[in-house]
Coordinates of all heavy atoms in Angstrom, one line a residue:
M65 N -25.8 -3.0 -44.4 CA -24.5 -2.9 -43.8 C -24.7 -2.3 -42.4 O -25.4 -1.3 -42.2 CB -23.7 -2.0 -44.7 CG -22.3 -1.9 -44.2 SD -21.4 -0.9 -45.3 CE -20.0 -1.9 -45.7
S66 N -24.0 -2.9 -41.4 CA -24.1 -2.4 -40.0 C -23.0 -1.4 -39.7 O -21.9 -1.5 -40.3 CB -24.0 -3.6 -39.1 OG -22.8 -4.2 -39.2
P67 N -23.2 -0.5 -38.8 CA -22.1 0.4 -38.5 C -21.0 -0.3 -37.8 O -21.2 -1.2 -37.1 CB -22.8 1.5 -37.5 CG -24.0 0.8 -37.0 CD -24.4 -0.3 -38.1
R68 N -19.8 0.3 -37.9 CA -18.6 -0.2 -37.3 C -18.6 0.1 -35.8 O -19.1 1.1 -35.4 CB -17.3 0.3 -37.9 CG -17.1 -0.2 -39.3 CD -15.7 0.4 -39.7 NE -15.3 -0.2 -40.9 CZ -14.2 -0.1 -41.5 NH1 -13.3 0.7 -40.9 NH2 -13.9 -0.6 -42.7
R69 N -18.1 -0.8 -35.1 CA -17.9 -0.5 -33.6 C -16.5 -0.1 -33.4 O -15.5 -0.6 -34.0 CB -18.2 -1.8 -32.8 CG -19.6 -2.1 -32.7 CD -19.7 -3.1 -31.7 NE -21.1 -3.2 -31.2 CZ -21.7 -4.1 -30.5 NH1 -20.9 -5.1 -30.1 NH2 -22.9 -4.0 -30.2
A70 N -16.3 0.9 -32.5 CA -15.0 1.3 -32.1 C -14.3 0.2 -31.3 O -14.9 -0.3 -30.4 CB -15.1 2.6 -31.3
R71 N -13.0 0.0 -31.7 CA -12.3 -1.0 -30.9 C -11.6 -0.3 -29.8 O -10.9 0.7 -30.0 CB -11.3 -1.7 -31.8 CG -12.0 -2.6 -32.8 CD -10.9 -3.3 -33.7 NE -11.5 -4.0 -34.8 CZ -10.9 -4.6 -35.7 NH1 -9.6 -4.6 -35.7 NH2 -11.6 -5.2 -36.6
R72 N -11.7 -0.8 -28.6 CA -11.0 -0.2 -27.5 C -9.7 -0.9 -27.3 O -9.6 -2.1 -27.3 CB -11.9 -0.3 -26.3 CG -13.2 0.4 -26.5 CD -13.9 0.5 -25.2 NE -15.2 1.2 -25.5 CZ -15.8 1.9 -24.6 NH1 -15.3 2.1 -23.5 NH2 -16.9 2.5 -25.0
R73 N -8.7 -0.1 -27.0 CA -7.4 -0.7 -26.7 C -7.3 -1.1 -25.3 O -7.8 -0.5 -24.4 CB -6.4 0.5 -26.9 CG -5.0 0.0 -26.9 CD -4.0 1.1 -27.2 NE -4.2 2.2 -26.3 CZ -3.5 3.3 -26.2 NH1 -2.6 3.5 -27.1 NH2 -3.7 4.2 -25.3
E74 N -6.8 -2.4 -25.1 CA -6.7 -2.9 -23.8 C -5.6 -2.2 -23.1 O -4.5 -2.0 -23.6 CB -6.4 -4.4 -23.9 CG -7.5 -5.2 -24.4 CD -8.7 -5.2 -23.4 OE1 -8.5 -5.3 -22.2 OE2 -9.8 -5.1 -23.9
S75 N -5.8 -1.9 -21.8 CA -4.7 -1.1 -21.0 C -4.3 -2.1 -20.0 O -5.1 -2.8 -19.4 CB -5.3 0.1 -20.4 OG -4.4 0.7 -19.6
S76 N -3.0 -2.0 -19.6 CA -2.4 -2.8 -18.6 C -2.6 -2.1 -17.2 O -2.3 -2.7 -16.2 CB -1.0 -3.1 -18.8 OG -0.2 -1.9 -18.8
R77 N -3.0 -0.9 -17.2 CA -3.2 -0.1 -15.9 C -4.5 -0.5 -15.3 O -5.5 -0.6 -16.0 CB -3.1 1.4 -16.2 CG -1.8 1.8 -16.7 CD -1.9 3.3 -16.9 NE -0.7 3.7 -17.6 CZ -0.2 5.0 -17.5 NH1 -0.9 5.9 -16.9 NH2 0.9 5.3 -18.1
P78 N -4.6 -0.5 -14.0 CA -5.8 -0.7 -13.3 C -6.7 0.5 -13.5 O -6.3 1.6 -13.7 CB -5.5 -0.9 -11.9 CG -4.1 -0.4 -11.7 CD -3.5 -0.4 -13.1
F79 N -8.0 0.3 -13.4 CA -9.0 1.4 -13.5 C -8.8 2.4 -12.4 O -8.5 2.0 -11.2 CB -10.4 0.8 -13.4 CG -11.5 1.9 -13.6 CD1 -11.7 2.4 -14.8 CD2 -12.2 2.3 -12.5 CE1 -12.7 3.4 -15.0 CE2 -13.2 3.2 -12.6 CZ -13.4 3.8 -13.8
G80 N -8.7 3.7 -12.7 CA -8.5 4.7 -11.7 C -7.1 5.1 -11.6 O -6.8 6.0 -10.8
F81 N -6.2 4.4 -12.2 CA -4.7 4.7 -12.2 C -4.5 6.1 -12.9 O -5.1 6.3 -13.9 CB -3.9 3.6 -12.7 CG -2.4 3.7 -12.5 CD1 -1.9 3.3 -11.3 CD2 -1.6 4.3 -13.4 CE1 -0.6 3.4 -11.0 CE2 -0.2 4.4 -13.2 CZ 0.3 4.0 -11.9
P82 N -3.7 7.0 -12.3 CA -3.5 8.2 -13.0 C -2.9 8.0 -14.4 O -2.0 7.2 -14.6 CB -2.5 8.9 -12.1 CG -2.3 8.2 -10.9 CD -3.0 6.9 -11.1
T83 N -3.4 8.7 -15.3 CA -3.0 8.6 -16.7 C -1.8 9.3 -17.1 O -1.0 9.0 -17.9 CB -4.1 8.9 -17.7 OG1 -4.5 10.3 -17.4 CG2 -5.3 8.0 -17.5
G84 N -1.6 10.5 -16.4 CA -0.4 11.3 -16.7 C 0.6 11.2 -15.5 O 0.4 10.6 -14.5
L85 N 1.7 12.0 -15.8 CA 2.7 12.1 -14.7 C 2.2 13.1 -13.7 O 1.2 13.9 -13.8 CB 3.9 12.6 -15.3 CG 4.6 11.7 -16.4 CD1 5.8 12.4 -17.0 CD2 5.0 10.4 -15.7
D86 N 2.9 13.1 -12.5 CA 2.5 14.1 -11.5 C 2.9 15.4 -12.0 O 3.9 15.6 -12.7 CB 3.4 13.8 -10.3 CG 3.2 12.4 -9.8 OD1 2.1 11.8 -9.9 OD2 4.1 11.8 -9.3
K87 N 2.1 16.4 -11.7 CA 2.5 17.8 -12.2 C 3.0 18.5 -11.0 O 2.7 18.3 -9.9 CB 1.2 18.4 -12.8 CG 0.1 18.7 -11.8 CD -1.0 19.4 -12.6 CE -2.2 19.6 -11.7 NZ -3.2 20.4 -12.2
V88 N 3.9 19.5 -11.3 CA 4.5 20.4 -10.3 C 3.7 21.7 -10.3 O 3.6 22.3 -11.4 CB 6.0 20.6 -10.6 CG1 6.6 21.5 -9.6 CG2 6.7 19.2 -10.5
E89 N 3.3 22.1 -9.1 CA 2.6 23.4 -9.0 C 3.4 24.3 -8.2 O 4.0 23.9 -7.1 CB 1.2 23.2 -8.4 CG 0.2 22.4 -9.2 CD -1.2 22.3 -8.5 OE1 -1.4 22.9 -7.5 OE2 -2.0 21.6 -9.1
E90 N 3.5 25.6 -8.6 CA 4.2 26.6 -7.8 C 3.2 27.4 -7.0 O 2.2 27.9 -7.5 CB 5.0 27.5 -8.7 CG 6.2 26.8 -9.3 CD 7.1 27.8 -10.1 OE1 7.2 28.9 -9.6 OE2 7.6 27.3 -11.1
W91 N 3.3 27.5 -5.7 CA 2.5 28.2 -4.8 C 3.4 29.1 -3.9 O 4.6 28.9 -3.8 CB 1.7 27.2 -3.9 CG 0.7 26.4 -4.5 CD1 0.9 25.4 -5.3 CD2 -0.7 26.7 -4.5 NE1 -0.3 24.9 -5.8 CE2 -1.4 25.7 -5.3 CE3 -1.5 27.6 -3.9 CZ2 -2.7 25.6 -5.5 CZ3 -2.9 27.6 -4.1 CH2 -3.5 26.6 -4.9
P92 N 2.8 30.1 -3.2 CA 3.6 31.0 -2.3 C 4.3 30.2 -1.3 O 5.4 30.6 -0.8 CB 2.6 31.9 -1.7 CG 1.5 32.0 -2.7 CD 1.4 30.6 -3.3
D93 N 3.9 29.0 -0.9 CA 4.5 28.2 0.1 C 5.5 27.1 -0.5 O 5.9 26.2 0.2 CB 3.5 27.5 1.0 CG 2.5 26.6 0.3 OD1 2.5 26.6 -1.0 OD2 1.9 25.8 1.0
G94 N 5.8 27.3 -1.7 CA 6.8 26.4 -2.4 C 6.3 25.6 -3.6 O 5.1 25.8 -4.0
E95 N 7.1 24.8 -4.1 CA 6.7 23.9 -5.2 C 6.1 22.6 -4.6 O 6.7 22.0 -3.7 CB 7.9 23.6 -6.1 CG 8.3 24.7 -7.0 CD 9.4 24.3 -8.0 OE1 9.9 23.1 -7.9 OE2 9.7 25.1 -8.8
W96 N 5.1 22.1 -5.3 CA 4.4 20.9 -4.8 C 4.2 19.9 -6.0 O 3.8 20.4 -7.1 CB 3.1 21.2 -4.2 CG 3.2 22.1 -3.0 CD1 3.2 23.4 -2.9 CD2 3.3 21.6 -1.6 NE1 3.3 23.8 -1.7 CE2 3.4 22.7 -0.9 CE3 3.3 20.3 -1.0 CZ2 3.5 22.7 0.5 CZ3 3.4 20.3 0.3 CH2 3.5 21.4 1.1
K97 N 4.4 18.6 -5.8 CA 4.0 17.7 -6.8 C 2.6 17.3 -6.4 O 2.2 17.0 -5.3 CB 4.9 16.4 -6.7 CG 6.3 16.7 -7.3 CD 7.0 15.4 -7.4 CE 8.4 15.7 -8.0 NZ 9.2 14.4 -8.1
V98 N 1.7 17.3 -7.5 CA 0.3 17.0 -7.2 C -0.2 15.9 -8.2 O 0.1 15.9 -9.4 CB -0.5 18.4 -7.5 CG1 -2.0 18.1 -7.3 CG2 0.0 19.4 -6.6
R99 N -1.0 15.0 -7.7 CA -1.6 14.0 -8.4 C -3.0 13.9 -8.2 O -3.5 13.9 -7.0 CB -0.9 12.6 -8.0 CG -1.5 11.4 -8.8 CD -0.9 10.2 -8.3 NE 0.6 10.1 -8.5 CZ 1.4 9.3 -7.8 NH1 0.9 8.5 -6.9 NH2 2.7 9.4 -8.0
M100 N -3.9 14.0 -9.2 CA -5.3 13.9 -9.1 C -5.7 12.4 -9.2 O -5.3 11.8 -10.1 CB -6.0 14.7 -10.2 CG -5.6 16.2 -10.2 SD -6.2 17.1 -8.8 CE -7.9 17.2 -9.1
L101 N -6.5 12.0 -8.2 CA -6.9 10.6 -8.2 C -8.4 10.5 -8.4 O -9.2 11.3 -7.8 CB -6.5 9.9 -6.9 CG -5.0 9.8 -6.7 CD1 -4.8 9.1 -5.3 CD2 -4.4 9.0 -7.8
T102 N -8.9 9.6 -9.1 CA -10.3 9.4 -9.3 C -11.0 8.8 -8.1 O -12.2 8.9 -7.9 CB -10.7 8.6 -10.5 OG1 -10.1 7.3 -10.3 CG2 -10.1 9.2 -11.8
G103 N -10.2 8.1 -7.3 CA -10.8 7.4 -6.1 C -11.1 6.0 -6.4 O -11.3 5.2 -5.5
A104 N -11.2 5.6 -7.7 CA -11.6 4.2 -8.0 C -10.5 3.2 -7.5 O -10.8 2.1 -7.3 CB -11.8 4.1 -9.5
S105 N -9.2 3.7 -7.5 CA -8.2 2.8 -7.0 C -7.9 2.8 -5.5 O -7.2 2.0 -5.0 CB -6.9 3.1 -7.8 OG -6.5 4.4 -7.5
S106 N -8.5 3.7 -4.8 CA -8.2 3.8 -3.4 C -9.1 2.8 -2.6 O -10.3 2.8 -2.8 CB -8.4 5.2 -2.9 OG -9.7 5.6 -3.0
A107 N -8.5 2.1 -1.7 CA -9.2 1.0 -1.0 C -9.3 1.4 0.5 O -9.9 0.6 1.2 CB -8.6 -0.3 -1.2
K108 N -8.8 2.5 0.9 CA -8.8 2.9 2.3 C -9.2 4.4 2.5 O -9.2 5.1 1.5 CB -7.5 2.5 3.0 CG -6.3 3.4 2.6 CD -5.1 2.9 3.3 CE -4.2 4.1 3.6 NZ -3.0 3.7 4.4
N109 N -9.6 4.7 3.7 CA -9.9 6.1 4.0 C -8.7 6.9 4.4 O -7.8 6.4 4.9 CB -11.0 6.1 5.1 CG -12.3 5.4 4.7 OD1 -12.6 5.3 3.5 ND2 -13.0 5.0 5.7
Y110 N -8.8 8.2 4.1 CA -7.7 9.1 4.5 C -8.3 10.3 5.3 O -9.5 10.5 5.2 CB -7.0 9.6 3.2 CG -6.3 8.5 2.4 CD1 -6.9 8.0 1.3 CD2 -5.1 8.0 2.8 CE1 -6.4 7.0 0.5 CE2 -4.5 7.1 2.0 CZ -5.1 6.5 0.9 OH -4.5 5.6 0.2
R111 N -7.5 11.0 6.0 CA -7.9 12.2 6.7 C -7.3 13.4 6.0 O -6.1 13.5 5.9 CB -7.5 12.1 8.2 CG -7.8 13.3 8.9 CD -8.7 13.2 10.1 NE -9.3 12.0 10.4 CZ -10.6 11.8 10.6 NH1 -11.4 12.9 10.5 NH2 -11.1 10.7 11.1
C112 N -8.2 14.3 5.6 CA -7.7 15.5 4.9 C -7.1 16.5 5.9 O -7.7 16.8 6.9 CB -8.9 16.2 4.2 SG -8.5 17.8 3.4
P113 N -5.8 16.9 5.6 CA -5.2 17.9 6.6 C -5.9 19.3 6.5 O -5.6 20.0 7.5 CB -3.7 17.9 6.2 CG -3.8 17.5 4.8 CD -4.9 16.5 4.6
G114 N -6.6 19.6 5.5 CA -7.2 20.9 5.4 C -8.4 21.1 6.3 O -8.6 22.1 6.9
C115 N -9.3 20.1 6.3 CA -10.6 20.2 7.1 C -10.7 19.2 8.2 O -11.6 19.2 8.9 CB -11.8 20.1 6.1 SG -11.9 18.5 5.3
D116 N -9.7 18.3 8.3 CA -9.7 17.3 9.3 C -10.9 16.3 9.2 O -11.3 15.7 10.1 CB -9.6 17.8 10.7 CG -9.0 16.9 11.7 OD1 -8.1 16.1 11.2 OD2 -9.4 16.9 12.8
Q117 N -11.5 16.2 8.0 CA -12.6 15.3 7.7 C -12.1 14.1 6.9 O -11.0 14.1 6.3 CB -13.7 16.0 6.9 CG -14.3 17.2 7.6 CD -15.0 16.7 8.9 OE1 -15.8 15.8 8.8 NE2 -14.8 17.4 10.0
E118 N -12.8 13.0 6.9 CA -12.4 11.8 6.3 C -12.6 11.9 4.7 O -13.7 12.4 4.3 CB -13.2 10.7 6.9 CG -12.7 9.3 6.5 CD -13.4 8.2 7.3 OE1 -14.6 7.9 6.9 OE2 -12.9 7.7 8.3
I119 N -11.7 11.4 4.0 CA -11.8 11.1 2.6 C -12.1 9.7 2.4 O -11.2 8.8 2.6 CB -10.6 11.5 1.8 CG1 -10.2 13.0 2.0 CG2 -10.8 11.2 0.3 CD1 -8.9 13.4 1.4
R120 N -13.3 9.3 2.1 CA -13.7 7.9 2.0 C -13.2 7.2 0.8 O -12.9 7.9 -0.2 CB -15.2 7.8 2.1 CG -15.8 8.4 3.3 CD -17.3 8.2 3.4 NE -17.7 9.0 4.6 CZ -18.7 8.6 5.3 NH1 -19.4 7.5 5.0 NH2 -19.0 9.3 6.4
S121 N -13.0 5.9 0.9 CA -12.5 5.2 -0.3 C -13.5 5.4 -1.4 O -14.7 5.4 -1.3 CB -12.3 3.7 0.1 OG -13.6 3.1 0.4
G122 N -12.9 5.5 -2.6 CA -13.7 5.7 -3.8 C -14.0 7.1 -4.1 O -14.6 7.4 -5.2
Q123 N -13.7 8.1 -3.2 CA -13.9 9.5 -3.5 C -12.8 10.1 -4.2 O -11.6 9.9 -3.8 CB -14.2 10.2 -2.1 CG -14.6 11.6 -2.2 CD -14.9 12.2 -0.8 OE1 -14.7 11.5 0.2 NE2 -15.4 13.4 -0.8
P124 N -13.0 10.9 -5.2 CA -11.9 11.6 -5.9 C -11.2 12.6 -4.9 O -11.9 13.2 -4.1 CB -12.6 12.4 -7.0 CG -13.9 11.8 -7.1 CD -14.3 11.2 -5.9
H125 N -9.9 12.6 -5.0 CA -9.1 13.5 -4.2 C -7.8 13.8 -4.8 O -7.4 13.3 -5.8 CB -9.0 12.9 -2.8 CG -8.2 11.6 -2.7 ND1 -8.8 10.4 -3.0 CD2 -7.0 11.3 -2.4 CE1 -8.0 9.4 -2.8 NE2 -6.8 10.0 -2.5
V126 N -7.0 14.6 -4.1 CA -5.7 15.1 -4.5 C -4.6 14.5 -3.6 O -4.8 14.5 -2.4 CB -5.6 16.6 -4.5 CG1 -4.2 17.1 -4.8 CG2 -6.6 17.2 -5.4
V127 N -3.5 14.1 -4.1 CA -2.3 13.7 -3.3 C -1.3 14.7 -3.7 O -1.0 15.0 -4.8 CB -1.9 12.2 -3.7 CG1 -0.7 11.9 -2.8 CG2 -3.0 11.3 -3.4
A128 N -0.7 15.4 -2.6 CA 0.3 16.4 -2.8 C 1.4 16.1 -1.8 O 1.3 15.7 -0.7 CB -0.3 17.8 -2.6
W129 N 2.7 16.5 -2.3 CA 3.8 16.4 -1.5 C 4.9 17.5 -2.0 O 4.8 17.9 -3.1 CB 4.4 15.0 -1.4 CG 4.9 14.5 -2.7 CD1 6.1 14.5 -3.2 CD2 4.1 13.8 -3.8 NE1 6.2 13.9 -4.5 CE2 4.9 13.5 -4.8 CE3 2.7 13.5 -3.8 CZ2 4.5 12.8 -5.9 CZ3 2.3 12.9 -5.0 CH2 3.1 12.5 -6.0
P130 N 5.7 17.9 -1.0 CA 6.8 18.9 -1.4 C 7.7 18.4 -2.5 O 8.0 17.2 -2.5 CB 7.5 19.2 -0.1 CG 6.7 18.6 0.9 CD 5.9 17.5 0.4
N131 N 8.0 19.3 -3.4 CA 8.9 19.0 -4.5 C 10.4 19.2 -4.1 O 11.0 20.1 -4.6 CB 8.6 19.8 -5.8 CG 9.3 19.4 -7.0 OD1 9.8 18.2 -7.1 ND2 9.5 20.2 -7.9
W132 N 10.9 18.4 -3.2 CA 12.3 18.4 -2.8 C 12.7 17.0 -2.5 O 11.9 16.1 -2.4 CB 12.5 19.3 -1.6 CG 11.9 19.0 -0.3 CD1 12.0 17.8 0.4 CD2 11.0 19.7 0.4 NE1 11.2 17.8 1.5 CE2 10.6 19.0 1.6 CE3 10.4 21.0 0.3 CZ2 9.7 19.5 2.5 CZ3 9.6 21.5 1.2 CH2 9.3 20.7 2.4
P133 N 14.0 16.7 -2.5 CA 14.4 15.3 -2.3 C 13.9 14.8 -0.9 O 14.1 15.5 0.1 CB 16.0 15.4 -2.3 CG 16.3 16.6 -3.1 CD 15.1 17.6 -2.8
G134 N 13.3 13.7 -0.9 CA 12.7 13.1 0.3 C 11.3 13.7 0.6 O 10.7 13.3 1.5
G135 N 10.8 14.6 -0.3 CA 9.5 15.1 0.0 C 8.4 14.2 -0.2 O 7.3 14.4 0.3
D136 N 8.6 13.0 -0.9 CA 7.5 12.0 -1.1 C 7.2 11.4 0.2 O 6.1 10.7 0.4 CB 7.9 11.0 -2.2 CG 9.3 10.4 -2.0 OD1 10.1 10.9 -1.2 OD2 9.5 9.3 -2.6
E137 N 8.0 11.5 1.2 CA 7.7 11.0 2.6 C 6.6 11.8 3.3 O 6.0 11.4 4.2 CB 8.9 11.0 3.5 CG 10.1 10.1 2.9 CD 9.7 8.6 3.0 OE1 9.0 8.2 3.9 OE2 10.2 7.9 2.1
E138 N 6.3 13.0 2.7 CA 5.4 13.9 3.2 C 4.1 14.0 2.5 O 3.3 15.0 2.5 CB 6.0 15.4 3.3 CG 7.3 15.5 4.0 CD 7.1 15.3 5.5 OE1 6.1 15.7 6.0 OE2 8.0 14.7 6.1
R139 N 3.8 12.9 1.7 CA 2.6 12.9 0.9 C 1.3 13.0 1.8 O 1.2 12.3 2.8 CB 2.5 11.6 0.1 CG 3.2 11.6 -1.2 CD 2.8 10.4 -2.0 NE 2.7 9.2 -1.2 CZ 3.2 8.0 -1.5 NH1 3.8 7.8 -2.6 NH2 3.0 7.0 -0.7
R140 N 0.4 13.8 1.4 CA -0.9 13.9 2.0 C -2.0 13.9 1.0 O -1.9 14.3 -0.1 CB -1.0 15.2 2.8 CG 0.1 15.5 3.8 CD -0.1 14.5 5.0 NE 0.9 14.7 6.1 CZ 2.0 14.1 6.2 NH1 2.3 13.1 5.3 NH2 2.8 14.3 7.2
H141 N -3.2 13.3 1.5 CA -4.4 13.2 0.7 C -5.3 14.3 1.1 O -5.7 14.5 2.3 CB -5.0 11.8 0.9 CG -4.1 10.7 0.5 ND1 -4.4 10.0 -0.7 CD2 -3.0 10.2 1.0 CE1 -3.5 9.1 -0.8 NE2 -2.6 9.1 0.2
W142 N -5.8 15.1 0.1 CA -6.6 16.3 0.3 C -7.9 16.2 -0.5 O -7.9 15.6 -1.6 CB -5.9 17.5 -0.2 CG -4.6 17.9 0.5 CD1 -3.4 17.3 0.4 CD2 -4.4 19.0 1.4 NE1 -2.5 18.0 1.1 CE2 -3.0 19.0 1.7 CE3 -5.2 20.0 1.9 CZ2 -2.5 20.0 2.6 CZ3 -4.7 20.9 2.8 CH2 -3.3 20.9 3.1
H143 N -8.9 16.9 0.0 CA -10.1 17.2 -0.8 C -9.6 18.2 -1.8 O -8.8 19.1 -1.4 CB -11.3 17.7 0.0 CG -11.9 16.8 1.0 ND1 -11.7 16.9 2.3 CD2 -12.7 15.7 0.8 CE1 -12.4 15.9 2.9 NE2 -13.0 15.2 2.0
P144 N -10.1 18.2 -3.0 CA -9.6 19.2 -4.0 C -9.9 20.6 -3.6 O -9.0 21.5 -3.8 CB -10.4 18.8 -5.3 CG -10.8 17.4 -5.1 CD -10.9 17.2 -3.7
T145 N -11.0 20.9 -3.0 CA -11.3 22.2 -2.5 C -10.4 22.7 -1.4 O -9.9 23.8 -1.4 CB -12.8 22.4 -2.1 OG1 -13.6 22.0 -3.2 CG2 -13.1 23.8 -1.7
C146 N -10.1 21.7 -0.5 CA -9.2 22.1 0.7 C -7.8 22.3 0.2 O -7.1 23.2 0.7 CB -9.2 20.9 1.6 SG -10.8 20.6 2.4
W147 N -7.4 21.6 -0.8 CA -6.1 21.8 -1.4 C -5.9 23.2 -2.0 O -5.0 24.0 -1.8 CB -5.7 20.8 -2.4 CG -4.5 21.1 -3.2 CD1 -4.3 21.4 -4.5 CD2 -3.1 21.0 -2.7 NE1 -3.0 21.6 -4.9 CE2 -2.3 21.4 -3.7 CE3 -2.5 20.8 -1.4 CZ2 -0.9 21.5 -3.6 CZ3 -1.2 20.8 -1.3 CH2 -0.4 21.2 -2.3
R148 N -7.0 23.6 -2.8 CA -6.9 24.9 -3.4 C -7.0 26.1 -2.4 O -6.5 27.2 -2.6 CB -8.0 25.1 -4.4 CG -7.8 24.3 -5.7 CD -8.8 24.6 -6.8 NE -10.2 24.4 -6.3 CZ -10.9 23.3 -6.4 NH1 -10.4 22.2 -6.9 NH2 -12.2 23.3 -6.0
K149 N -7.7 25.9 -1.3 CA -8.0 26.9 -0.3 C -7.0 26.9 0.9 O -7.2 27.6 1.9 CB -9.4 26.8 0.2 CG -10.5 26.9 -0.9 CD -10.7 28.2 -1.4 CE -11.7 28.9 -0.6 NZ -11.8 30.3 -0.9
R150 N -6.0 26.0 0.9 CA -5.2 25.8 2.1 C -4.5 27.1 2.5 O -4.2 27.3 3.7 CB -4.2 24.7 1.9 CG -3.1 25.0 1.0 CD -2.2 23.7 0.8 NE -1.0 24.1 0.1 CZ -0.9 24.4 -1.2 NH1 -2.0 24.5 -1.9 NH2 0.2 24.7 -1.7
L151 N -4.1 28.0 1.6 CA -3.4 29.2 2.0 C -4.3 30.2 2.7 O -3.8 31.2 3.3 CB -2.8 29.8 0.8 CG -1.7 29.0 0.1 CD1 -1.1 29.7 -1.1 CD2 -0.6 28.6 1.1
D152 N -5.6 30.1 2.6 CA -6.6 31.0 3.2 C -6.9 30.7 4.6 O -7.6 31.4 5.3 CB -8.0 30.9 2.4 CG -7.8 31.4 0.9 OD1 -6.8 32.1 0.7 OD2 -8.6 31.1 0.1
R153 N -6.3 29.6 5.1 CA -6.6 29.1 6.5 C -6.0 30.1 7.4 O -4.9 30.6 7.2 CB -6.1 27.7 6.7 CG -6.9 26.7 5.9 CD -6.2 25.4 5.7 NE -5.7 24.9 7.0 CZ -5.1 23.8 7.1 NH1 -4.8 23.1 6.0 NH2 -4.6 23.3 8.2
G154 N -6.7 30.4 8.5 CA -6.2 31.4 9.5 C -5.1 30.9 10.4 O -4.7 29.7 10.3
P155 N -4.6 31.8 11.2 CA -3.5 31.4 12.1 C -4.0 30.3 13.1 O -5.2 30.2 13.4 CB -3.2 32.7 12.8 CG -4.4 33.5 12.7 CD -5.1 33.1 11.5
G156 N -3.1 29.6 13.6 CA -3.4 28.6 14.6 C -3.6 27.2 13.9 O -3.6 26.2 14.6
R157 N -3.7 27.2 12.6 CA -3.8 25.9 11.9 C -2.6 25.8 11.0 O -2.2 26.7 10.3 CB -5.1 25.8 11.0 CG -6.3 25.9 11.8 CD -7.1 24.6 12.1 NE -6.8 23.5 11.3 CZ -7.7 22.9 10.6 NH1 -9.0 23.3 10.6 NH2 -7.5 21.8 10.0
S158 N -2.0 24.6 10.9 CA -0.9 24.4 10.0 C -1.4 24.5 8.6 O -2.5 24.1 8.3 CB -0.3 23.0 10.3 OG 0.6 22.7 9.3
R159 N -0.5 24.9 7.7 CA -0.9 25.0 6.3 C -0.6 23.7 5.6 O -0.9 23.6 4.4 CB -0.2 26.2 5.6 CG -0.7 27.5 6.2 CD -0.2 28.6 5.4 NE -0.8 29.8 6.0 CZ -0.9 31.0 5.4 NH1 -0.4 31.1 4.2 NH2 -1.4 32.0 6.0
Y160 N 0.0 22.8 6.3 CA 0.3 21.5 5.7 C 0.1 20.4 6.7 O 0.6 20.5 7.8 CB 1.7 21.5 5.0 CG 2.0 20.2 4.4 CD1 1.3 19.8 3.3 CD2 3.0 19.3 4.9 CE1 1.5 18.6 2.7 CE2 3.3 18.1 4.2 CZ 2.5 17.8 3.1 OH 2.8 16.6 2.5

């Protein structure tokens, strides 16, 4: 008798699509909606506002925007480390 194989459920979502909803994070600078992306679905490069370096296509990253009406127009793509350390940035640099 041969072992059973696990059946995989077919998904209609493309590979790399976020599996959960956006989460809301509370920080000293306000509430932010945050989405973690694997990078598998990104086809273009972005510029991280934290370090001003390029986030290349296919690289895991964070998309964050303010949690207020119309805040989704302010979406930015961040390196995960830059997102967590953004409040530590010194004067002279915008925190967003």
